Amino acid sequence: MNSKPSSFYYRSFCILFFLAATLALNAQADDAAMIRKLYDKALQEGKSYDWLNYLSNQIGGRLSGSVQAQQAIDYTRAELETLGLDRVWLQPVMVPKWVRGIPEFAYIESTPGNTNNVPVCALGGSVATPPGGLKAGVVEVKDFEELKRLGRKAIEGKIVFFNRPMDPAKINTFEAYSGAVNQRSSGAVEASQYGAVGVIVRSMSLRLDDYPHTGTMRYGEQPLAERIPAAAISTNGAELLSTTLRLNPDIQFYFKQNCRQLEDVQSYNVIGEIRGSEFPDEIIVVGGHLDSWDLGDGSHDDGAGCVQSMEVLRILKETGYRPKRTVRVVLFMNEENGLRGGRKYAEEAQRKGETHHFALESDSGGFSPKGFSFDCSEAQFARLLEWKPLFEPYMVYHFVRGGSGADIGPLKSQGPVLAGLRPDSQRYFDYHHAESDTFEAVNRRELELGAAAMASMVYLVDRYGLPASDTGKGK
């Protein structure tokens, strides 16, 4: 029997296998070298911290529709134009304009004339109290089920105090937040059904301090006449109020706030891009939201995500990398109290017939990056996991399927893989939506590490692409 053909095929197979393995190793070495260059650019010559310094300390809190929001639009557009991108533009979007007014004031009255001041702030979107403020008895509840059990007889004419803490046993603090935040967003509507005259909500924070944390609350379609004012109380204030109530259930609580909802105003998403050299019609988006709440500087939420996203395009250009696909930075307006920017961007992409291949958002603070979460199919996740070893030297090792980001969420129906940068979250809710969210709370190196991780992921997605979803749309 002649064995030459089989030997020939075997040798050919071995040679091809060796060549393929060699090419794969060479590609991996090239990728590792490129990622090292991206990190070096971010850590040695980074611009993100300087950009954040200006946003935070020269402009400050950037609530949608405010003068500061427009200043941030003008500033970031100008900075993007200095980077030599192929295109920079503003995308018009109408946004809500809610104003806080003069600072809020509150106290606990144990007996007539015997009061203790406590820190509160109006929740975003709340109506004001009467001009002279609101004073009433207090009913403390942990959740909506307890509210229902107590019923109108116990609640009518009272202020409902929602005092369910974030669960400290949750290692993922975003899970703890999700488990408590419905009392902030829906508490006023729920309490008003039982005749409550106002709502006080424990701040969404795991730390005990004197900073009240604001955030969006919603009335939905509730008639204006039925809406009751809602405020957040600091965690220390909540502990004091709860203890005082146990000692004396007949105490009175007073608070005054002057917030107002005005007519919608014109604002903008800020967009810049590097045009793809091979597949210009396939778009990779990286972004964060430019608006913030008004109590602090919005440095972690989400100035950090914006400057990191700008830095991605800067360091790609600085390393001389020419992307195959179009890489686009989008600084979304109005994530905090409306998501108008994210929705507008998705609507325009749909109208123009744009194809988005991948979208990455940073909106979890400027802390040390630990990994990414991906909203994608199993086949797409398998590809992404192949790149995980390239990130492990930089202590970025947490690749999971899950959520991405609020602003890029509206793109999901159009089919791209959606991703979110996942920094260490243990301190995030110390600052989230509070006066303490300032530039001083952001560490320069951690911020730059996040930008480098994002740039590395964008580079890999651009170079190799991702497989189509199992269903042809994002899952």
Side-chain angles (χ1 to χ4, degrees), residues 96 298 317 360 415 429:
K317 282 190 66 68
L360 170 62
F429 290 98

Side-chain angles (χ1 to χ4, degrees), residues 113-171:
N114 185 12
T115 63
N116 286 299
N117 295 352
V118 287
V120 300
C121 67
L123 292 178
S126 176
V127 296
T129 60
L134 173 65
K135 184 162 73 170
V138 182
V139 177
E140 178 179 346
V141 299
K142 298 297 184 186
D143 53 37
F144 297 157
E145 288 299 314
E146 186 175 1
L147 190 72
K148 184 178 179 180
R149 287 196 301 272
L150 290 171
R152 179 172 287 271
K153 185 176 180 180
I155 294 169
E156 189 166 22
K158 302 288 184 65
I159 294 171
V160 171
F161 168 39
F162 287 100
N163 190 32
R164 182 169 78 258
M166 290 173 58
D167 185 353
K170 298 285 188 185
I171 303 303

Side-chain angles (χ1 to χ4, degrees), residues 98 100 121-124 177 184 203-204 212-216 232 293-295 432-434:
W98 178 85
R100 184 174 301 280
C121 67
L123 292 178
Y177 176 75
R184 187 197 76 198
S203 285
M204 300 293 110
H213 294 233
T214 192
T216 296
W293 287 107
D294 55 324
L295 296 181
H432 183 250
H433 296 177

Side-chain angles (χ1 to χ4, degrees), residues 133-416:
L134 173 65
K135 184 162 73 170
V138 182
V139 177
E140 178 179 346
V141 299
K142 298 297 184 186
D143 53 37
F144 297 157
E145 288 299 314
E146 186 175 1
L147 190 72
K148 184 178 179 180
R149 287 196 301 272
L150 290 171
R152 179 172 287 271
K153 185 176 180 180
I155 294 169
E156 189 166 22
K158 302 288 184 65
I159 294 171
V160 171
F161 168 39
F162 287 100
N163 190 32
R164 182 169 78 258
M166 290 173 58
D167 185 353
K170 298 285 188 185
I171 303 303
N172 183 338
T173 59
F174 282 87
E175 290 183 10
Y177 176 75
S178 296
V181 74
N182 71 333
Q183 59 191 327
R184 187 197 76 198
S185 58
S186 304
V189 169
E190 294 291 328
S192 66
Q193 296 177 25
Y194 301 96
V197 295
V199 161
I200 299 295
V201 182
R202 183 188 183 96
S203 285
M204 300 293 110
S205 176
L206 287 159
R207 185 168 71 177
L208 289 174
D209 61 24
D210 293 317
Y211 294 108
H213 294 233
T214 192
T216 296
M217 56 83 59
R218 301 176 183 87
Y219 294 109
E221 300 301 318
Q222 189 177 45
L224 184 61
E226 298 176 13
R227 298 179 182 184
I228 61 175
I233 186 171
S234 71
T235 48
N236 276 340
E239 293 292 294
L240 176 62
L241 178 55
S242 183
T243 300
T244 306
L245 270 172
R246 286 198 297 272
L247 295 173
N248 179 8
D250 296 325
I251 64 169
Q252 299 275 295
F253 189 89
Y254 171 89
F255 72 111
K256 181 180 180 181
Q257 55 192 43
N258 304 273
C259 40
R260 289 188 297 158
Q261 187 73 50
L262 304 177
E263 294 294 323
D264 289 358
V265 298
Q266 180 77 71
S267 192
Y268 303 91
N269 294 328
V270 182
I271 307 174
E273 68 180 22
I274 303 171
R275 189 77 171 158
S277 59
E278 295 183 30
F279 312 110
D281 293 333
E282 293 185 14
I283 299 168
I284 295 173
V285 162
V286 59
H289 65 86
L290 193 53
D291 65 304
S292 75
W293 287 107
D294 55 324
L295 296 181
D297 300 332
S299 293
H300 276 297
D301 187 20
D302 184 29
C306 288
V307 298
Q308 286 173 330
S309 299
M310 295 166 64
E311 180 77 339
V312 168
L313 273 69
R314 190 193 73 83
I315 61 180
L316 285 173
K317 282 190 66 68
E318 287 292 314
T319 55
Y321 178 72
R322 183 64 183 175
K324 298 178 180 181
R325 295 165 173 84
T326 294
V327 180
R328 182 180 289 176
V329 58
V330 183
L331 309 181
F332 298 94
M333 184 52 64
N334 185 232
E335 187 271 349
E336 293 292 7
N337 60 336
L339 204 64
R340 302 276 187 89
R343 291 184 179 132
K344 182 66 172 181
Y345 180 81
E347 289 170 6
E348 287 298 298
Q350 182 78 34
R351 184 181 67 82
K352 295 175 181 178
E354 292 181 333
T355 299
H356 283 75
H357 187 71
F358 181 75
L360 170 62
E361 184 165 0
S362 172
D363 186 17
S364 299
F367 300 102
S368 183
K370 297 300 180 185
F372 301 90
S373 61
F374 302 97
D375 187 352
C376 63
S377 71
E378 290 183 9
Q380 291 164 338
F381 189 55
R383 170 66 62 82
L384 292 158
L385 284 176
E386 293 175 5
W387 302 332
K388 185 178 176 183
L390 292 165
F391 289 88
E392 288 174 351
Y394 306 97
M395 302 180 72
V396 176
Y397 49 81
H398 191 60
F399 281 42
V400 296
R401 291 180 71 187
S404 53
D407 295 291
I408 60 176
L411 285 171
K412 182 175 181 178
S413 63
Q414 300 176 31

